[in-house]
Amino acid sequence: LAVPWRWHCSPRRGGAGCPPAGQVRAAFLRFFQERHGHRRLPSAPVRPRGDPGLLFVNAGMNQFKPIFLGTVHPRSELAQHRRVVNSQKCVRAGGKHNDLEDVGRDTYHHTFFEMLGNWSFGDYFKEEACSMAWELLTEVYEIPRDRLYVTYFGGDPSLGLSADEECRDVWLQLGIPASHVLPFPLKDNFWEMGDTGPCGPCTEIHYDHVGGGRNAAALVNQGSPDVVEIWNLVFMQYSREVEGNLLPLPQHHVDTGMGLERLVTVLQNKRSNYDTDLFTPILDAIHKGCRAPRYEGLVGDADVGRVNMAYRVVADHVRTLCVCIADGIYPGVSGAELVLRRILRRAVRFCSEVLQAPPGLLASLVPTVVEVLGDAYPELTRNADQIKDIINENEAAFLSSLERGRRIIERTVQQMEPSTHFPAEVAWSLYGSLGFPLDLIDLMLEEKGISLDLAAFNELALEDAKRKAGSPQAGQPENTNTHLDVHSLAQLRSSSVPATDDSPKYAYTLGQHGQYEFSPCQATVLMLCRGQCLQKEVGAGQRCGVILDRTNFYAEQGGQDSDQGYMIRLGQQDVLLPVESVHLCGGYVIHEVTAVETLRVGDQVQLFVDEAQRLSCMTNHTATHLLNFALRRVLGDSTEQRGSHVTAERLRFDFDTKGHVTVEQLQQVEQVVQDLIKRNEVVHMAEVPLTLARRVQGLRAVDEGYPDPVRIVSLGVPVETVLTRDSKAAMQTSVELCCGTHLLQTGSVEDLAIISERQLVKGISRVIAVTGERAKQAREVGQCLAMEVDSISLRMKQRSTSIPEMQNLSKEVGQLTKVVASTAMPQWQRRELQTILKALQRTANTAIKKLELQQAEKKAQILLAKYCNQPVIIDTVPADSLSILMKVVNQLCDKSPGTSVLLLSPQASGEVFCACQVSKDCHPTFSAADWAVAVCTRMDGKAGGSPIVAKGSGNAKGMEGALTTALEFAQSKL
């Protein structure tokens, strides 16, 4: 895109002279790339990489955290960056930075926005950063200088921090008048990544929309819509420690961020982000698709009926939906997926309730969003059809849930006593299970003059939060591993402690008889660490991290669990130091051990990996590659890996899918894997330059940072062959970038069984598989359960005429259904057996119902003959279950509509069943529920039901008195 360095776009002019947003973005990127030697990077996906504490990428710096923290691997591509520029897709909804509920109420909040940023990692600092920013704003974008104000950190005596006079002097030297250079305290001009970690003073550039030669200094940082911040330049020069004190960082960084939407608003001479060409095409498309009047930009009380708010909500939310779905975040039930579901549902409600648009409006806006953002983010163009499908499916599901929820509310209200609170448990079920918005429940109840029992609802919410907090996921033991901070990592490097050579982890061979032989590894202790402190010596009984010059232990990474094993000090063969875990930090492999005796820097140690555990991990990791290939082969080339985890026991694999994986597809996937195992293909592995590896056609890689050089794992085809220019070899086999440990031949996998497959969210499935002996056991268990199902099917076909026998069969089917659901067995077979068992359960239930009806008819005939159309029948009859007794009552009332019936049935256990039905002619004075309660209370029991039918139970000792009570109650009502 040819972008002029200058265009005449003074904010005092409007109209055609203003640059389009695409040109503003491109000019920013080219300015830093071509004029100031920055490397231009694409936006990272909005799904955070390796940052579990973050729901979405919410700032441009997220992807560079490992650099700021010093944990970046020295061989990684990330570690090579010095000057970087990009436009980062950001989402602020959920978590600490949450703008969701503010979106639509004003003209500047967004859930999705673009952050223009330039970074320096140990290269330039304050003078160059400020100079570049000023040059871009005043010379390239031609923003009048008198409209710009800059702020700097004014110091904080309580922290011992003086004012950032260096920054102030830089601005003054650039010719900015002192009246436009303003000091502000910690809360405004000191940026922190979190409670601990890198931080530093920042300088902000503010723009005065009014201008006209006035001095607007008094309005800076005062929340005025006339004077707004447009650019923040952060100077990372400190690190906040756990104790709260600040330490100087070993290396200074610059992190700047400027919201594209706000910048375009300035350059296009607008006062609202929604009036720029980033939004106007979407707002026009909304107007065409709904029955509401055109967007006017109104807010607050002036926005009658919230129509303008609805326009802003839908325009903002559809951008967020497009960006998130294109990056693999789909509406779901937890984490980021749950937040996205709320965004979609909020947009759908504004579409239907305020804009009165027909279903499908939201998805119809996708092509317009792609038109606005697609050039900058091509993944939107590639995934446009999928985005539309997912939005439409989720909208339909939500509208269906709303309808079901409305019916439940109507039914509950009809059954409620007058002037009572709506039951909190029903509201909680609607909210939790159907995703029914709480404000909509309130609105519907308000229309009916009923209120929700809010105290009880909040109590249920609190219980749910406690239950989740106590779940296994939340209750896992706290990670006590040694974590090196930016200072200890810098100290290691300044002490010339080299990064750990972990290449010996790949030093193993296949012996003559097919057994794996792992080479021993001898190493030297280079440093010890406890907490974040480096030590030369650690005493007996103390837990510590051991850094060695070399290791054959695999550190947890790439989805594979770390090795287990032990180390011994040379000369002390009988003193074992078990290695509890192994992890990687900034290129150093840290072995977690508890010292048995004093351990010192310089000690020589021998390392022994737990070979059985390592071999199981190798088997499952190679099997993961086989599975990845098989899924693509069966489900299609669009099947993308979303994540994986390899342990010694099993493997987990998440992937894109357009629908449910069928039984036949699961069988086909297993068959493709079996064929690769039988062929006993050689697993080729080699380290190659990252740029060369990325040219391989058909290469499988996930979104993560890879070291350079990178390891390629290729099944059956030598790495040199797949690297050949124009080679299509990788299209026909599994070729992946992978740092894991693998088998040397696929035959060692022996077998693979997929024991679970389920959809995590719409469009993403998770499979769990086992290999080797575990797969064999799963198949054997599957065969045994299949034989049990066949046995029950055979007995069911014999059609017993005994109710107890059929009930026992039904119970057996139920128990077997639970066993099949919870046992490790091939998933395709589980689904087949579940289908058969479901049909058997239906057959058993139908047979029991039929036999009970036959028995009930006989008993009813006897009673009809005995009482011959009397208005009330009260008697005792033998019945094997309350269900049969209720059917006898129903039969009597059907055949004699004017009769009210109450029957008792004593059981061998000493319990008495009670069932009754009142003739419709006797309503409303005669209630079946009241009748049953009176009778069962006399027997020290309980009952319940409706005015027409009711049932209950009590104790046999009170049965005679209960019959008298039944007659007296009936007589009093008739």
Side-chain angles (χ1 to χ4, degrees), residues 341 345 401-402 404-413 416 421-446 450-461 464:
R341 187 175 81 165
R345 292 183 167 193
S401 294
L402 283 181
R404 288 215 313 277
R406 284 192 178 99
R407 286 200 300 270
I408 291 168
I409 289 174
E410 292 285 353
R411 191 166 64 244
T412 307
V413 169
M416 281 168 55
H421 283 304
F422 188 80
E425 59 274 12
V426 177
W428 178 254
S429 173
L430 288 168
Y431 177 75
S433 304
L434 291 182
F436 208 88
L438 189 56
D439 63 327
L440 189 56
I441 295 173
D442 280 332
L443 194 67
M444 290 181 68
L445 294 179
E446 192 182 315
I450 297 170
S451 61
L452 173 62
D453 186 349
L454 208 54
F457 183 90
N458 290 337
E459 202 173 309
L460 289 170
D464 183 66

Short mmCIF file of all heavy atoms in Angstrom, two decimals, residues 341 345 401-402 404-413 416 421-446 450-461 464:
data_model
loop_
_atom_site.label_atom_id
_atom_site.label_comp_id
_atom_site.label_asym_id
_atom_site.label_seq_id
_atom_site.Cartn_x
_atom_site.Cartn_y
_atom_site.Cartn_z
N ARG A 341 -19.54 -15.64 24.70
CA ARG A 341 -20.96 -15.99 24.62
C ARG A 341 -21.83 -14.85 25.15
O ARG A 341 -22.86 -14.52 24.57
CB ARG A 341 -21.24 -17.27 25.43
CG ARG A 341 -22.67 -17.77 25.25
CD ARG A 341 -22.92 -19.09 25.95
NE ARG A 341 -23.19 -18.90 27.38
CZ ARG A 341 -23.72 -19.85 28.16
NH1 ARG A 341 -24.00 -21.04 27.65
NH2 ARG A 341 -23.93 -19.63 29.43
N ARG A 345 -24.62 -12.79 23.06
CA ARG A 345 -26.01 -12.75 23.53
C ARG A 345 -26.46 -11.31 23.81
O ARG A 345 -27.62 -10.96 23.59
CB ARG A 345 -26.18 -13.63 24.76
CG ARG A 345 -26.01 -15.10 24.40
CD ARG A 345 -26.24 -16.05 25.55
NE ARG A 345 -26.37 -17.41 25.03
CZ ARG A 345 -26.82 -18.43 25.72
NH1 ARG A 345 -27.16 -18.28 26.98
NH2 ARG A 345 -26.95 -19.62 25.18
N SER A 401 -33.16 -20.84 23.72
CA SER A 401 -33.06 -20.82 25.19
C SER A 401 -33.98 -19.76 25.78
O SER A 401 -34.61 -19.98 26.82
CB SER A 401 -31.62 -20.54 25.63
OG SER A 401 -30.78 -21.59 25.26
N LEU A 402 -34.05 -18.59 25.13
CA LEU A 402 -34.93 -17.52 25.61
C LEU A 402 -36.38 -17.98 25.62
O LEU A 402 -37.13 -17.73 26.56
CB LEU A 402 -34.79 -16.27 24.73
CG LEU A 402 -33.55 -15.40 24.93
CD1 LEU A 402 -33.61 -14.20 23.99
CD2 LEU A 402 -33.42 -14.93 26.36
N ARG A 404 -37.49 -21.10 25.71
CA ARG A 404 -37.67 -22.11 26.77
C ARG A 404 -37.74 -21.44 28.13
O ARG A 404 -38.56 -21.79 28.97
CB ARG A 404 -36.50 -23.11 26.76
CG ARG A 404 -36.52 -24.05 25.61
CD ARG A 404 -36.01 -25.45 25.96
NE ARG A 404 -34.77 -25.51 26.70
CZ ARG A 404 -33.56 -25.44 26.15
NH1 ARG A 404 -33.43 -25.28 24.85
NH2 ARG A 404 -32.48 -25.53 26.90
N GLY A 405 -36.87 -20.45 28.34
CA GLY A 405 -36.85 -19.73 29.62
C GLY A 405 -38.16 -19.00 29.89
O GLY A 405 -38.67 -19.02 31.01
N ARG A 406 -38.69 -18.36 28.85
CA ARG A 406 -39.98 -17.65 29.01
C ARG A 406 -41.09 -18.61 29.41
O ARG A 406 -41.92 -18.30 30.26
CB ARG A 406 -40.34 -16.94 27.70
CG ARG A 406 -39.52 -15.67 27.44
CD ARG A 406 -40.11 -14.86 26.31
NE ARG A 406 -39.34 -13.64 26.12
CZ ARG A 406 -38.40 -13.48 25.19
NH1 ARG A 406 -38.12 -14.48 24.38
NH2 ARG A 406 -37.75 -12.35 25.08
N ARG A 407 -41.10 -19.81 28.79
CA ARG A 407 -42.12 -20.81 29.12
C ARG A 407 -42.00 -21.27 30.57
O ARG A 407 -42.99 -21.45 31.27
CB ARG A 407 -42.03 -22.01 28.16
CG ARG A 407 -42.55 -21.71 26.76
CD ARG A 407 -42.90 -22.99 26.02
NE ARG A 407 -41.77 -23.89 25.87
CZ ARG A 407 -40.91 -23.87 24.84
NH1 ARG A 407 -41.09 -22.99 23.86
NH2 ARG A 407 -39.91 -24.71 24.77
N ILE A 408 -40.73 -21.48 31.01
CA ILE A 408 -40.49 -21.91 32.40
C ILE A 408 -40.97 -20.84 33.38
O ILE A 408 -41.61 -21.15 34.39
CB ILE A 408 -38.99 -22.23 32.63
CG1 ILE A 408 -38.61 -23.50 31.85
CG2 ILE A 408 -38.68 -22.40 34.11
CD1 ILE A 408 -37.11 -23.76 31.76
N ILE A 409 -40.69 -19.57 33.07
CA ILE A 409 -41.12 -18.48 33.95
C ILE A 409 -42.66 -18.44 34.01
O ILE A 409 -43.25 -18.33 35.09
CB ILE A 409 -40.54 -17.13 33.47
CG1 ILE A 409 -39.02 -17.09 33.75
CG2 ILE A 409 -41.23 -15.95 34.17
CD1 ILE A 409 -38.32 -15.87 33.18
N GLU A 410 -43.32 -18.54 32.83
CA GLU A 410 -44.78 -18.53 32.80
C GLU A 410 -45.36 -19.66 33.65
O GLU A 410 -46.27 -19.45 34.45
CB GLU A 410 -45.27 -18.69 31.34
CG GLU A 410 -44.96 -17.51 30.43
CD GLU A 410 -45.87 -16.32 30.69
OE1 GLU A 410 -46.82 -16.45 31.47
OE2 GLU A 410 -45.60 -15.23 30.12
N ARG A 411 -44.83 -20.87 33.47
CA ARG A 411 -45.36 -22.04 34.18
C ARG A 411 -45.14 -21.89 35.70
O ARG A 411 -46.02 -22.20 36.49
CB ARG A 411 -44.67 -23.30 33.67
CG ARG A 411 -45.32 -24.58 34.15
CD ARG A 411 -44.86 -25.80 33.37
NE ARG A 411 -43.45 -26.07 33.54
CZ ARG A 411 -42.55 -26.01 32.55
NH1 ARG A 411 -42.93 -25.69 31.32
NH2 ARG A 411 -41.27 -26.26 32.78
N THR A 412 -43.93 -21.39 36.08
CA THR A 412 -43.63 -21.22 37.51
C THR A 412 -44.55 -20.20 38.15
O THR A 412 -45.05 -20.41 39.25
CB THR A 412 -42.15 -20.80 37.70
OG1 THR A 412 -41.30 -21.72 37.00
CG2 THR A 412 -41.76 -20.78 39.16
N VAL A 413 -44.78 -19.09 37.43
CA VAL A 413 -45.65 -18.03 37.96
C VAL A 413 -47.07 -18.54 38.16
O VAL A 413 -47.73 -18.24 39.16
CB VAL A 413 -45.64 -16.79 37.02
CG1 VAL A 413 -46.73 -15.80 37.40
CG2 VAL A 413 -44.27 -16.11 37.08
N MET A 416 -47.34 -20.54 41.35
CA MET A 416 -46.99 -19.85 42.59
C MET A 416 -48.22 -19.40 43.36
O MET A 416 -49.26 -19.11 42.78
CB MET A 416 -46.12 -18.61 42.29
CG MET A 416 -44.67 -18.91 42.01
SD MET A 416 -43.82 -17.46 41.33
CE MET A 416 -44.16 -16.22 42.57
N HIS A 421 -42.37 -14.31 46.40
CA HIS A 421 -41.17 -14.09 45.58
C HIS A 421 -41.04 -15.21 44.56
O HIS A 421 -41.37 -16.36 44.83
CB HIS A 421 -39.92 -14.09 46.47
CG HIS A 421 -39.74 -12.82 47.24
ND1 HIS A 421 -39.68 -11.59 46.63
CD2 HIS A 421 -39.59 -12.58 48.58
CE1 HIS A 421 -39.50 -10.66 47.54
NE2 HIS A 421 -39.45 -11.23 48.74
N PHE A 422 -40.48 -14.87 43.39
CA PHE A 422 -40.18 -15.89 42.39
C PHE A 422 -39.06 -16.78 42.94
O PHE A 422 -38.06 -16.27 43.47
CB PHE A 422 -39.73 -15.22 41.09
CG PHE A 422 -39.58 -16.17 39.93
CD1 PHE A 422 -40.68 -16.59 39.21
CD2 PHE A 422 -38.33 -16.66 39.56
CE1 PHE A 422 -40.56 -17.46 38.14
CE2 PHE A 422 -38.18 -17.52 38.50
CZ PHE A 422 -39.30 -17.92 37.78
N PRO A 423 -39.18 -18.12 42.84
CA PRO A 423 -38.18 -19.01 43.46
C PRO A 423 -36.76 -18.78 42.92
O PRO A 423 -36.54 -18.81 41.71
CB PRO A 423 -38.68 -20.42 43.10
CG PRO A 423 -40.07 -20.25 42.64
CD PRO A 423 -40.23 -18.86 42.14
N ALA A 424 -35.84 -18.59 43.84
CA ALA A 424 -34.44 -18.31 43.46
C ALA A 424 -33.83 -19.48 42.72
O ALA A 424 -33.03 -19.29 41.79
CB ALA A 424 -33.62 -17.99 44.71
N GLU A 425 -34.20 -20.74 43.12
CA GLU A 425 -33.58 -21.90 42.47
C GLU A 425 -33.99 -22.03 41.00
O GLU A 425 -33.20 -22.46 40.16
CB GLU A 425 -33.91 -23.21 43.23
CG GLU A 425 -35.39 -23.54 43.36
CD GLU A 425 -36.05 -22.87 44.56
OE1 GLU A 425 -35.43 -21.95 45.18
OE2 GLU A 425 -37.18 -23.26 44.88
N VAL A 426 -35.23 -21.57 40.67
CA VAL A 426 -35.66 -21.59 39.26
C VAL A 426 -34.87 -20.53 38.48
O VAL A 426 -34.39 -20.79 37.37
CB VAL A 426 -37.18 -21.34 39.15
CG1 VAL A 426 -37.61 -21.29 37.67
CG2 VAL A 426 -37.96 -22.43 39.88
N ALA A 427 -34.76 -19.33 39.07
CA ALA A 427 -33.99 -18.26 38.41
C ALA A 427 -32.54 -18.67 38.21
O ALA A 427 -31.95 -18.41 37.15
CB ALA A 427 -34.06 -16.98 39.25
N TRP A 428 -31.96 -19.34 39.22
CA TRP A 428 -30.56 -19.76 39.11
C TRP A 428 -30.39 -20.81 38.02
O TRP A 428 -29.42 -20.79 37.26
CB TRP A 428 -30.07 -20.31 40.46
CG TRP A 428 -28.66 -20.80 40.38
CD1 TRP A 428 -28.21 -22.08 40.36
CD2 TRP A 428 -27.49 -19.98 40.24
NE1 TRP A 428 -26.85 -22.12 40.24
CE2 TRP A 428 -26.38 -20.84 40.16
CE3 TRP A 428 -27.28 -18.59 40.18
CZ2 TRP A 428 -25.08 -20.37 40.02
CZ3 TRP A 428 -25.98 -18.14 40.05
CH2 TRP A 428 -24.90 -19.01 39.97
N SER A 429 -31.37 -21.71 37.91
CA SER A 429 -31.32 -22.74 36.86
C SER A 429 -31.40 -22.09 35.48
O SER A 429 -30.67 -22.46 34.57
CB SER A 429 -32.48 -23.72 37.05
OG SER A 429 -32.55 -24.60 35.97
N LEU A 430 -32.29 -21.08 35.34
CA LEU A 430 -32.39 -20.37 34.06
C LEU A 430 -31.09 -19.67 33.72
O LEU A 430 -30.62 -19.70 32.59
CB LEU A 430 -33.51 -19.32 34.14
CG LEU A 430 -34.96 -19.83 34.16
CD1 LEU A 430 -35.90 -18.70 34.53
CD2 LEU A 430 -35.33 -20.41 32.81
N TYR A 431 -30.51 -19.02 34.73
CA TYR A 431 -29.27 -18.24 34.54
C TYR A 431 -28.08 -19.15 34.24
O TYR A 431 -27.31 -18.92 33.31
CB TYR A 431 -29.01 -17.40 35.79
CG TYR A 431 -27.73 -16.61 35.77
CD1 TYR A 431 -27.61 -15.46 35.01
CD2 TYR A 431 -26.63 -17.01 36.54
CE1 TYR A 431 -26.43 -14.72 35.00
CE2 TYR A 431 -25.46 -16.28 36.54
CZ TYR A 431 -25.36 -15.14 35.78
OH TYR A 431 -24.20 -14.42 35.77
N GLY A 432 -27.95 -20.23 35.05
CA GLY A 432 -26.78 -21.10 34.92
C GLY A 432 -26.86 -22.07 33.77
O GLY A 432 -25.89 -22.26 33.04
N SER A 433 -28.04 -22.70 33.58
CA SER A 433 -28.15 -23.76 32.58
C SER A 433 -28.48 -23.22 31.20
O SER A 433 -27.94 -23.68 30.20
CB SER A 433 -29.23 -24.76 33.00
OG SER A 433 -28.95 -25.28 34.27
N LEU A 434 -29.41 -22.24 31.13
CA LEU A 434 -29.82 -21.72 29.82
C LEU A 434 -29.09 -20.45 29.43
O LEU A 434 -29.24 -19.98 28.31
CB LEU A 434 -31.33 -21.44 29.83
CG LEU A 434 -32.27 -22.66 29.88
CD1 LEU A 434 -33.72 -22.20 29.82
CD2 LEU A 434 -31.99 -23.62 28.74
N GLY A 435 -28.32 -19.89 30.37
CA GLY A 435 -27.64 -18.62 30.07
C GLY A 435 -28.62 -17.48 29.95
O GLY A 435 -28.40 -16.51 29.24
N PHE A 436 -29.77 -17.59 30.64
CA PHE A 436 -30.82 -16.58 30.58
C PHE A 436 -30.35 -15.34 31.35
O PHE A 436 -30.05 -15.43 32.54
CB PHE A 436 -32.09 -17.14 31.22
CG PHE A 436 -33.36 -16.57 30.68
CD1 PHE A 436 -33.97 -17.13 29.56
CD2 PHE A 436 -33.96 -15.47 31.28
CE1 PHE A 436 -35.16 -16.61 29.07
CE2 PHE A 436 -35.14 -14.95 30.79
CZ PHE A 436 -35.75 -15.51 29.67
N PRO A 437 -30.27 -14.17 30.71
CA PRO A 437 -29.73 -12.98 31.39
C PRO A 437 -30.57 -12.60 32.62
O PRO A 437 -31.80 -12.61 32.56
CB PRO A 437 -29.81 -11.89 30.32
CG PRO A 437 -29.90 -12.62 29.02
CD PRO A 437 -30.64 -13.89 29.31
N LEU A 438 -29.89 -12.28 33.70
CA LEU A 438 -30.56 -11.96 34.96
C LEU A 438 -31.43 -10.72 34.82
O LEU A 438 -32.55 -10.67 35.36
CB LEU A 438 -29.50 -11.74 36.06
CG LEU A 438 -30.03 -11.61 37.49
CD1 LEU A 438 -30.86 -12.81 37.88
CD2 LEU A 438 -28.86 -11.45 38.45
N ASP A 439 -30.96 -9.72 34.07
CA ASP A 439 -31.77 -8.50 33.91
C ASP A 439 -33.07 -8.78 33.15
O ASP A 439 -34.09 -8.15 33.37
CB ASP A 439 -30.97 -7.39 33.23
CG ASP A 439 -30.54 -7.76 31.82
OD1 ASP A 439 -30.29 -8.95 31.58
OD2 ASP A 439 -30.44 -6.86 30.97
N LEU A 440 -33.03 -9.79 32.26
CA LEU A 440 -34.23 -10.15 31.51
C LEU A 440 -35.23 -10.87 32.42
O LEU A 440 -36.44 -10.68 32.31
CB LEU A 440 -33.86 -11.03 30.31
CG LEU A 440 -34.99 -11.31 29.30
CD1 LEU A 440 -35.57 -10.02 28.75
CD2 LEU A 440 -34.47 -12.17 28.16
N ILE A 441 -34.71 -11.71 33.33
CA ILE A 441 -35.58 -12.37 34.31
C ILE A 441 -36.28 -11.29 35.15
O ILE A 441 -37.50 -11.32 35.34
CB ILE A 441 -34.76 -13.31 35.23
CG1 ILE A 441 -34.17 -14.46 34.42
CG2 ILE A 441 -35.65 -13.86 36.36
CD1 ILE A 441 -33.20 -15.35 35.20
N ASP A 442 -35.50 -10.30 35.63
CA ASP A 442 -36.06 -9.20 36.42
C ASP A 442 -37.15 -8.45 35.64
O ASP A 442 -38.21 -8.13 36.18
CB ASP A 442 -34.96 -8.21 36.82
CG ASP A 442 -34.17 -8.70 38.02
OD1 ASP A 442 -34.74 -9.45 38.83
OD2 ASP A 442 -32.99 -8.34 38.15
N LEU A 443 -36.87 -8.19 34.37
CA LEU A 443 -37.79 -7.44 33.52
C LEU A 443 -39.11 -8.18 33.34
O LEU A 443 -40.19 -7.61 33.49
CB LEU A 443 -37.13 -7.18 32.16
CG LEU A 443 -37.79 -6.13 31.26
CD1 LEU A 443 -37.66 -4.74 31.89
CD2 LEU A 443 -37.12 -6.14 29.89
N MET A 444 -39.01 -9.48 33.06
CA MET A 444 -40.22 -10.29 32.84
C MET A 444 -41.04 -10.41 34.12
O MET A 444 -42.27 -10.39 34.08
CB MET A 444 -39.84 -11.67 32.31
CG MET A 444 -39.30 -11.65 30.89
SD MET A 444 -38.90 -13.28 30.28
CE MET A 444 -40.54 -14.01 30.15
N LEU A 445 -40.37 -10.54 35.25
CA LEU A 445 -41.09 -10.64 36.52
C LEU A 445 -41.73 -9.31 36.90
O LEU A 445 -42.84 -9.27 37.43
CB LEU A 445 -40.12 -11.09 37.63
CG LEU A 445 -39.55 -12.50 37.50
CD1 LEU A 445 -38.59 -12.80 38.64
CD2 LEU A 445 -40.65 -13.56 37.46
N GLU A 446 -41.02 -8.21 36.58
CA GLU A 446 -41.55 -6.88 36.87
C GLU A 446 -42.86 -6.64 36.11
O GLU A 446 -43.82 -6.07 36.65
CB GLU A 446 -40.50 -5.83 36.47
CG GLU A 446 -40.80 -4.43 36.97
CD GLU A 446 -39.73 -3.43 36.50
OE1 GLU A 446 -38.54 -3.76 36.58
OE2 GLU A 446 -40.14 -2.35 36.04
N ILE A 450 -44.13 -9.29 40.01
CA ILE A 450 -43.49 -10.23 40.94
C ILE A 450 -42.01 -9.87 41.04
O ILE A 450 -41.41 -9.41 40.07
CB ILE A 450 -43.65 -11.68 40.43
CG1 ILE A 450 -45.12 -12.06 40.38
CG2 ILE A 450 -42.89 -12.68 41.31
CD1 ILE A 450 -45.39 -13.36 39.66
N SER A 451 -41.42 -10.11 42.19
CA SER A 451 -39.99 -9.83 42.35
C SER A 451 -39.22 -11.13 42.62
O SER A 451 -39.79 -12.10 43.11
CB SER A 451 -39.75 -8.85 43.49
OG SER A 451 -40.21 -9.41 44.71
N LEU A 452 -37.96 -11.11 42.27
CA LEU A 452 -37.08 -12.26 42.50
C LEU A 452 -36.57 -12.22 43.94
O LEU A 452 -36.26 -11.15 44.47
CB LEU A 452 -35.90 -12.21 41.53
CG LEU A 452 -34.78 -13.23 41.71
CD1 LEU A 452 -35.29 -14.66 41.54
CD2 LEU A 452 -33.65 -12.97 40.71
N ASP A 453 -36.48 -13.40 44.55
CA ASP A 453 -35.88 -13.51 45.89
C ASP A 453 -34.37 -13.36 45.72
O ASP A 453 -33.63 -14.34 45.60
CB ASP A 453 -36.24 -14.86 46.50
CG ASP A 453 -35.78 -14.96 47.96
OD1 ASP A 453 -35.01 -14.08 48.40
OD2 ASP A 453 -36.18 -15.91 48.64
N LEU A 454 -33.92 -12.09 45.69
CA LEU A 454 -32.53 -11.78 45.35
C LEU A 454 -31.55 -12.31 46.38
O LEU A 454 -30.46 -12.77 46.04
CB LEU A 454 -32.36 -10.27 45.17
CG LEU A 454 -31.25 -9.82 44.22
CD1 LEU A 454 -31.41 -10.47 42.85
CD2 LEU A 454 -31.25 -8.32 44.07
N ALA A 455 -31.93 -12.26 47.64
CA ALA A 455 -31.03 -12.74 48.71
C ALA A 455 -30.75 -14.23 48.54
O ALA A 455 -29.59 -14.68 48.62
CB ALA A 455 -31.64 -12.47 50.08
N ALA A 456 -31.81 -15.00 48.27
CA ALA A 456 -31.63 -16.44 48.06
C ALA A 456 -30.85 -16.72 46.78
O ALA A 456 -30.03 -17.65 46.72
CB ALA A 456 -33.00 -17.13 48.00
N PHE A 457 -31.08 -15.89 45.72
CA PHE A 457 -30.34 -16.05 44.45
C PHE A 457 -28.85 -15.82 44.68
O PHE A 457 -28.01 -16.59 44.22
CB PHE A 457 -30.88 -15.07 43.41
CG PHE A 457 -30.24 -15.21 42.06
CD1 PHE A 457 -30.75 -16.08 41.11
CD2 PHE A 457 -29.10 -14.47 41.74
CE1 PHE A 457 -30.15 -16.21 39.86
CE2 PHE A 457 -28.49 -14.60 40.51
CZ PHE A 457 -29.02 -15.48 39.56
N ASN A 458 -28.52 -14.75 45.40
CA ASN A 458 -27.11 -14.44 45.68
C ASN A 458 -26.44 -15.53 46.51
O ASN A 458 -25.26 -15.82 46.35
CB ASN A 458 -26.99 -13.09 46.40
CG ASN A 458 -27.33 -11.94 45.48
OD1 ASN A 458 -27.25 -12.06 44.26
ND2 ASN A 458 -27.75 -10.82 46.05
N GLU A 459 -27.24 -16.15 47.39
CA GLU A 459 -26.72 -17.25 48.20
C GLU A 459 -26.36 -18.45 47.32
O GLU A 459 -25.31 -19.07 47.50
CB GLU A 459 -27.79 -17.66 49.23
CG GLU A 459 -27.21 -18.39 50.44
CD GLU A 459 -28.25 -18.64 51.53
OE1 GLU A 459 -28.93 -17.67 51.92
OE2 GLU A 459 -28.37 -19.78 51.95
N LEU A 460 -27.22 -18.72 46.33
CA LEU A 460 -26.94 -19.82 45.39
C LEU A 460 -25.69 -19.51 44.56
O LEU A 460 -24.88 -20.39 44.29
CB LEU A 460 -28.14 -20.04 44.46
CG LEU A 460 -29.39 -20.67 45.09
CD1 LEU A 460 -30.56 -20.61 44.13
CD2 LEU A 460 -29.10 -22.12 45.48
N ALA A 461 -25.56 -18.24 44.16
CA ALA A 461 -24.38 -17.83 43.39
C ALA A 461 -23.12 -18.00 44.22
O ALA A 461 -22.08 -18.45 43.71
CB ALA A 461 -24.53 -16.38 42.93
N ASP A 464 -22.23 -21.66 44.49
CA ASP A 464 -21.65 -22.12 43.23
C ASP A 464 -20.18 -21.69 43.13
O ASP A 464 -19.32 -22.47 42.71
CB ASP A 464 -22.46 -21.56 42.06
CG ASP A 464 -21.96 -22.07 40.71
OD1 ASP A 464 -22.07 -23.29 40.47
OD2 ASP A 464 -21.44 -21.26 39.92
#
